[in-house]
Amino acid sequence: MMKLGFAKRMSYIKASEIREILKVTEHEEVISFAGGLPAPELFPINEIDEVNRIVLREAGTKALQYTTTEGCPPLREWIAARMNERLGTAFDKDNILITHGSQQGLDLSGKVFLDEGDIVLCESPTYLAAISAFKAYGCNFIEIPTDEEGMDMGALEEVLSSTPNIKLIYVIPTFQNPTGKTWSLERRRKLAEVSSKYSVAVIEDNPYGELRFEGEHLPSVKSFDTDGNILCTGSFSKIFCPGFRIGWIAGDKDIIRKYVLVKQGTDLQCNTIAQMTIAEYLKRYDIDKHIGRIVEVYKKRRDVALRCIELYFPANIKFTHPEGGLFTWIELPEGIPAREILESCLERKIAFVPGGSFFPNGNRENTFRINYSNMPEERIEKGLKVIGEVVKEYIARLQ
Amino acid sequence: MMKLGFAKRMSYIKASEIREILKVTEHEEVISFAGGLPAPELFPINEIDEVNRIVLREAGTKALQYTTTEGCPPLREWIAARMNERLGTAFDKDNILITHGSQQGLDLSGKVFLDEGDIVLCESPTYLAAISAFKAYGCNFIEIPTDEEGMDMGALEEVLSSTPNIKLIYVIPTFQNPTGKTWSLERRRKLAEVSSKYSVAVIEDNPYGELRFEGEHLPSVKSFDTDGNILCTGSFSKIFCPGFRIGWIAGDKDIIRKYVLVKQGTDLQCNTIAQMTIAEYLKRYDIDKHIGRIVEVYKKRRDVALRCIELYFPANIKFTHPEGGLFTWIELPEGIPAREILESCLERKIAFVPGGSFFPNGNRENTFRINYSNMPEERIEKGLKVIGEVVKEYIARLQ
């Protein structure tokens, strides 16, 4: 029997390391820092139940029917207003396309912008599933060095001025995944300038921005955009619930129309009733109060996580201090492979994601990501204590 | 200001003519035969309300959280059992991936199989949004002539034996969109044979198969598959509701694993609560009874539609007699452009979809599709009477 012919991309699309680890961690006794899962005990279940019923009773046939590709107008209006208020944008509903989670915003960005062989510039490290999303369109990545304030703008300009076929700059400027870092105002402004100077599109991914524990909300890179080159993603997954799979991509109307075209052929539209349910919730409830509760819980968990890392990890590791979001990022001394640390931890029923996969071009195996949003404090402490011990043992064996 | 660089595909991705016409037909007074919309008055709203509440109460945190890419296991088990019973397949849950409507099954098929320049073979005419889905991956189409029994197998083999880079054969063998035609058993068996002989994958799209008004259910092409080359899509859109956007793709486990990989980077997973709600509905209610109600209503509407076409249209047109599904297909005399007929009809607030867009390589402008599932009988009659008059007037003007 001859073999079927698959697309070339199938030779380099790999399983997401996170999703594979998550399968291992399905057992309740495993303490998992691996996912990017929000705390389920904070989902507004009763409120969702209530607004769901209202939507079904008042507009059931509409809620269960096909709708437009663009998505439910009141939801898009809310998103535009919220972004204008929080992120300094100037959007109305026609700047917004509802997507199947912000992940689909990345996939559609690949479809709209990327031909085989094109280049995507990204932070180093960057969100692992953005790498998969873009890679499916046959692109290559150049990682731009990133410090405490964000991408190194000198390095970025150097690459932009010397490299053909750069189509996208992909960034997560607020509570970055995986590092938890936040870009300074100056870098945001500068990135907008650079994107204009070199006429290159920017995807500003922002699934965590609402979850700030300390400091002031910063304007988006988009708010400094003069040419319409910058697109922003957003999501209800972290401030409401991920099960509904409702996110968005926002940008210049001409570009959003291209995304709408592409989404038509991809999956027609997002879930109608999920969109209407969220819109109804936003009308009837105070989401800021709800976000306030999430922030309070996650802040405590972050505090515990950082304290435990300080307490139980060897002194010569580095870790970030996230001002919000879901993650902190650990850098072990050179030559200590996080994948081996993970193996020992898994034997002791503790999981996390090794950092290697967050670098599209590999290397930096001495890093890993810790998620602190999904577990109560005592489990965070217990788990980090074990990881600390395993790291110390590994270092001791080396010496 | 320089322009952003978009992907090459953006130069040939066009707006779906249907979705554009649907926008025009949003006004209530318009009689629209344009969409493929199910009858909303048949949605099981109260039952959905009930099972939704049960899911939220009994498993709310799970229903609102992330889940696996593959999808909700009980739902996949039901789908496998249903397909085995109805379509003669031999699936278990690991043969099934839940997709965002069956449309996403087509998009993912493009991603898994197609490189730029590859060839897709299809019926002539074929489903318009399948053309968009595949085209996004840069393929070309060869239309295979199709008669009352399905694709012409001689013509198919001729093309297969003489053309390189054929990656997919795309077919809708039951109540085809747009023609409403159903393939004979013999052609189904033969297509499986041909797909094995030439080692080419087949996508057997089947969103309407459950809606049979007369005659016996036929086994799927897949049921004759000896090599695992055939993939089947399915959907809850036409037997439950489209607003949930829940469909599936089924096939050989090795190939489905490739689809799972690709879906991870595309949008992570489908809506969790929608999957659990459907699974709970299937456990508590008799979906066959529900489908029976849909079939009864659509059969009456088909009967009225066919009777009116016979009554009000000129004698020298051709139309199909669908044994199920949502559509009938009209062929006007050569040289009568359906797009011009549509323009006159729109002035009289009647809409349908001209047939040209269902031919990936164009031509055949003297055809159009009529959907009969979405309107009560008196509106069907009123609308078809007008279309008949417009066609007769056009012909009279020509002579």
Side-chain angles (χ1 to χ4, degrees):
Chain A
M1 186 189 84
M2 286 194 305
K3 281 288 188 183
L4 293 181
F6 294 99
K8 273 185 286 180
R9 64 177 64 83
M10 297 315 294
S11 64
Y12 53 73
I13 291 183
K14 285 186 313 182
S16 152
E17 190 162 13
I18 293 185
R19 292 240 141 195
E20 296 308 309
I21 294 172
L22 285 183
K23 282 186 192 166
V24 180
T25 62
E26 268 174 6
H27 304 282
E28 292 227 335
E29 77 270 31
V30 174
I31 296 182
S32 173
F33 301 98
L37 276 64
E41 67 272 24
L42 297 171
F43 295 154
I45 298 181
N46 293 332
E47 292 83 347
I48 289 175
D49 183 18
E50 190 200 327
V51 292
N52 224 324
R53 304 205 80 186
I54 293 168
V55 167
L56 279 170
R57 277 189 200 154
E58 292 182 359
T61 53
K62 195 176 154 197
L64 301 174
Q65 187 59 287
Y66 287 110
T67 183
T68 58
T69 303
E70 290 82 349
C72 168
L75 188 62
R76 287 154 61 221
E77 275 159 20
W78 185 90
I79 292 165
R82 180 75 170 192
M83 293 184 78
N84 296 347
E85 182 204 321
R86 279 299 169 95
L87 301 169
T89 53
F91 289 144
D92 64 44
K93 77 172 182 357
D94 296 327
N95 295 101
I96 314 291
L97 166 67
I98 303 295
T99 56
H100 200 60
S102 59
Q103 183 71 29
Q104 190 184 35
L106 305 181
D107 175 59
L108 296 179
S109 297
K111 236 178 190 172
V112 166
F113 284 102
L114 298 177
D115 288 319
E116 205 181 329
D118 282 344
I119 306 283
V120 174
L121 305 186
C122 65
E123 292 161 281
S124 178
T126 190
Y127 172 47
L128 160 165
I131 303 173
S132 326
F134 297 141
K135 224 176 187 170
Y137 297 94
C139 69
N140 296 310
F141 293 88
I142 298 178
E143 299 170 39
I144 307 297
T146 308
D147 62 25
E148 295 313 303
E149 287 192 55
M151 235 179 212
D152 177 333
M153 290 292 135
L156 175 65
E157 284 215 58
E158 215 174 281
V159 172
L160 279 167
S161 59
S162 62
T163 316
N165 300 324
I166 294 173
K167 284 290 194 62
L168 287 180
I169 305 173
Y170 171 72
V171 294
I172 314 149
T174 307
F175 319 139
Q176 204 243 13
N177 183 357
T179 65
K181 290 178 188 173
T182 296
W183 289 34
S184 67
L185 189 70
E186 200 32 51
R187 290 282 172 91
R188 290 167 191 248
R189 191 194 312 270
K190 183 71 186 168
L191 176 59
E193 233 181 84
V194 169
S195 92
S196 166
K197 181 170 167 193
Y198 295 90
S199 275
V200 61
V202 173
I203 308 294
E204 181 179 16
D205 196 5
N206 186 28
Y208 318 109
E210 292 272 0
L211 304 179
R212 179 172 278 280
F213 314 147
E214 57 197 42
E216 290 298 307
H217 283 287
L218 289 172
S220 58
V221 177
K222 178 70 189 172
S223 69
F224 301 110
D225 184 12
T226 49
D227 297 0
N229 291 350
I230 301 175
L231 293 128
C232 313
T233 74
S235 175
F236 287 101
S237 292
K238 307 304 187 285
I239 58 171
F240 191 68
C241 73
F244 276 17
R245 312 301 305 117
I246 298 293
W248 65 87
I249 186 139
D252 186 84
K253 288 177 192 180
D254 286 342
I255 302 181
I256 289 299
R257 267 196 290 273
K258 291 180 194 285
Y259 277 78
V260 171
L261 271 187
V262 154
K263 185 170 165 70
Q264 278 184 2
T266 300
D267 61 8
L268 305 182
Q269 58 156 100
C270 284
N271 184 308
T272 319
I273 184 169
Q275 295 182 61
M276 287 173 71
T277 297
I278 296 176
E280 192 68 29
Y281 174 91
L282 294 168
K283 209 171 84 185
R284 289 178 181 262
Y285 288 95
D286 180 357
I287 196 164
D288 285 312
K289 219 162 145 183
H290 179 63
I291 294 172
R293 276 190 295 269
I294 299 174
V295 163
E296 194 187 335
V297 170
Y298 289 7
K299 180 182 187 305
K300 277 190 204 146
R301 292 179 180 179
R302 177 207 61 177
D303 290 344
V304 169
L306 297 187
R307 190 170 44 71
C308 290
I309 293 168
E310 212 146 345
L311 205 58
Y312 300 121
F313 280 45
N316 56 346
I317 64 127
K318 287 184 200 158
F319 61 98
T320 56
H321 180 99
E323 294 181 339
L326 275 57
F327 306 109
T328 182
W329 177 251
I330 316 271
E331 234 181 289
L332 300 172
E334 287 286 340
I336 309 219
R339 281 193 176 85
E340 286 185 33
I341 303 291
L342 174 65
E343 272 172 40
S344 307
C345 286
L346 283 175
E347 283 166 22
R348 298 174 66 176
K349 300 206 187 308
I350 315 285
F352 56 81
V353 185
S357 316
F358 296 94
F359 298 88
N361 302 321
N363 76 31
R364 306 292 300 281
E365 297 296 336
N366 62 321
T367 54
F368 61 97
R369 189 188 76 173
I370 289 291
N371 164 266
Y372 49 73
S373 60
N374 190 238
M375 277 183 308
E377 288 140 46
E378 57 281 12
R379 281 168 74 83
I380 293 175
E381 168 140 25
K382 200 174 150 194
L384 287 174
K385 199 171 165 191
V386 172
I387 302 178
E389 283 165 16
V390 169
V391 171
K392 282 179 178 165
E393 283 162 21
Y394 192 97
I395 292 176
R397 270 206 312 282
L398 276 189
Q399 281 157 355
Chain B
M1 187 190 83
M2 286 194 305
K3 280 287 186 185
L4 293 180
F6 295 99
K8 270 186 289 182
R9 65 178 63 83
M10 297 314 296
S11 63
Y12 52 73
I13 292 183
K14 285 186 313 184
S16 152
E17 189 162 12
I18 292 185
R19 293 239 141 198
E20 297 308 309
I21 294 172
L22 285 183
K23 280 186 194 165
V24 180
T25 63
E26 268 174 5
H27 304 283
E28 293 226 334
E29 77 271 30
V30 174
I31 296 183
S32 173
F33 301 97
L37 275 64
E41 66 272 24
L42 297 172
F43 295 154
I45 298 181
N46 293 332
E47 293 84 346
I48 289 174
D49 183 18
E50 190 200 328
V51 293
N52 225 326
R53 303 206 80 186
I54 292 168
V55 167
L56 279 170
R57 277 187 200 158
E58 293 182 358
T61 53
K62 197 176 152 196
L64 301 175
Q65 187 58 287
Y66 287 111
T67 184
T68 59
T69 304
E70 290 82 350
C72 169
L75 187 62
R76 286 154 62 219
E77 274 158 21
W78 185 91
I79 291 165
R82 180 76 171 192
M83 292 185 79
N84 297 346
E85 184 205 320
R86 279 297 169 95
L87 300 170
T89 54
F91 289 144
D92 65 42
K93 76 171 183 355
D94 296 327
N95 294 101
I96 314 292
L97 167 67
I98 304 295
T99 55
H100 200 62
S102 59
Q103 183 72 29
Q104 190 185 35
L106 306 181
D107 174 58
L108 296 178
S109 297
K111 236 179 191 174
V112 166
F113 285 101
L114 299 177
D115 288 319
E116 204 182 331
D118 282 344
I119 306 283
V120 174
L121 306 185
C122 65
E123 293 161 280
S124 178
T126 190
Y127 171 47
L128 159 164
I131 303 173
S132 327
F134 297 142
K135 223 174 188 173
Y137 297 95
C139 69
N140 296 310
F141 294 87
I142 299 179
E143 298 170 41
I144 308 295
T146 307
D147 63 24
E148 294 313 304
E149 288 193 54
M151 233 180 213
D152 177 333
M153 288 295 135
L156 175 65
E157 284 216 58
E158 216 175 282
V159 171
L160 279 167
S161 60
S162 63
T163 316
N165 301 325
I166 294 173
K167 286 289 196 59
L168 287 180
I169 305 173
Y170 171 73
V171 294
I172 314 148
T174 307
F175 318 138
Q176 204 242 12
N177 183 358
T179 65
K181 290 179 188 172
T182 296
W183 288 35
S184 68
L185 190 70
E186 202 31 52
R187 291 282 171 89
R188 289 166 192 248
R189 192 194 313 271
K190 184 70 187 171
L191 176 58
E193 234 181 84
V194 170
S195 91
S196 166
K197 182 171 167 192
Y198 295 91
S199 275
V200 60
V202 172
I203 308 295
E204 182 179 15
D205 197 5
N206 185 29
Y208 318 109
E210 294 272 359
L211 304 179
R212 180 173 276 284
F213 314 146
E214 58 197 42
E216 291 298 305
H217 282 287
L218 288 172
S220 58
V221 178
K222 177 70 190 172
S223 69
F224 302 109
D225 184 11
T226 50
D227 297 0
N229 290 351
I230 301 175
L231 293 128
C232 313
T233 73
S235 175
F236 286 101
S237 292
K238 306 303 188 285
I239 59 172
F240 190 69
C241 73
F244 276 17
R245 311 303 303 121
I246 298 293
W248 64 89
I249 185 139
D252 187 83
K253 287 179 192 179
D254 287 343
I255 301 181
I256 290 298
R257 267 196 289 274
K258 291 181 194 285
Y259 277 77
V260 171
L261 272 186
V262 154
K263 185 170 164 70
Q264 277 184 3
T266 301
D267 60 10
L268 304 182
Q269 58 156 99
C270 284
N271 184 309
T272 318
I273 185 169
Q275 295 182 61
M276 288 173 71
T277 297
I278 296 176
E280 193 68 28
Y281 174 91
L282 294 168
K283 210 170 84 186
R284 290 179 180 260
Y285 288 95
D286 181 356
I287 195 164
D288 285 311
K289 220 163 145 182
H290 179 63
I291 293 173
R293 275 190 294 269
I294 299 175
V295 163
E296 196 188 332
V297 171
Y298 290 6
K299 181 181 185 306
K300 277 190 205 146
R301 292 179 180 180
R302 178 208 60 177
D303 290 345
V304 169
L306 296 187
R307 192 171 43 72
C308 289
I309 293 170
E310 214 147 344
L311 205 58
Y312 301 121
F313 281 45
N316 58 344
I317 63 126
K318 288 183 200 160
F319 61 99
T320 56
H321 180 98
E323 295 181 339
L326 273 58
F327 306 109
T328 183
W329 177 251
I330 315 269
E331 234 180 287
L332 301 172
E334 288 285 341
I336 310 221
R339 282 194 175 86
E340 285 186 32
I341 302 292
L342 174 64
E343 271 172 41
S344 306
C345 286
L346 284 175
E347 282 166 21
R348 298 174 65 176
K349 299 205 188 309
I350 315 285
F352 57 79
V353 184
S357 317
F358 296 94
F359 298 89
N361 302 322
N363 77 29
R364 306 293 300 282
E365 298 295 337
N366 60 322
T367 56
F368 61 97
R369 189 186 77 174
I370 289 292
N371 165 267
Y372 48 73
S373 60
N374 189 240
M375 276 184 308
E377 288 140 45
E378 57 282 12
R379 282 168 72 84
I380 293 176
E381 169 141 22
K382 200 174 151 194
L384 287 174
K385 199 172 165 191
V386 171
I387 302 178
E389 284 165 15
V390 169
V391 171
K392 283 179 179 165
E393 283 163 18
Y394 193 97
I395 292 176
R397 270 206 310 281
L398 276 189
Q399 283 157 353

